[in-house]
Amino acid sequence: MSLLTENIIPGEHGKVFGTNANEEIELVEIKNELLKVDGITEVHINNDIFPKEFTIITDKVISIEEVEKVVKSTGFHAIPK
């Protein structure tokens, strides 16, 4: 594995994750929990596709494992794309 595959690198492009959450309220809950993580500046939700996706934008290196752990605490999964 490498730095790029195991982490979200700061920048405008962000990292896209798929999730098994379907309802708007579930996606907002995931977004709110992720925004509590130091370094995550934005979370964009894509409701137009299935399965639902969200993009995380950071201002410092964040591990994908940390993101997965936060989303799992809400009862859902985050799968990096």
Side-chain angles (χ1 to χ4, degrees):
M1 302 308 262
S2 72
L3 177 70
L4 295 175
T5 59
E6 295 179 357
N7 297 289
I8 304 169
I9 306 302
E12 297 176 4
H13 58 281
K15 179 77 173 169
V16 178
F17 290 82
T19 183
N20 62 333
N22 288 316
E23 302 297 322
E24 180 73 25
I25 194 162
E26 298 167 342
L27 295 165
V28 169
E29 180 183 357
I30 289 171
K31 178 180 179 175
N32 290 338
E33 288 301 312
L34 287 170
L35 288 172
K36 292 178 185 176
V37 176
D38 182 38
I40 295 179
T41 57
E42 297 177 44
V43 177
H44 301 284
I45 298 172
N46 186 352
N47 283 327
D48 299 332
I49 61 170
F50 184 83
K52 306 297 185 206
E53 292 181 346
F54 56 89
T55 304
I56 297 176
I57 312 278
T58 66
D59 62 2
K60 65 181 189 179
V61 176
I62 305 286
S63 74
I64 288 176
E65 185 177 314
E66 183 176 357
V67 169
E68 291 171 335
K69 190 183 308 180
V70 169
V71 174
K72 193 171 185 179
S73 74
T74 66
F76 301 102
H77 297 285
I79 300 143
K81 294 194 168 194

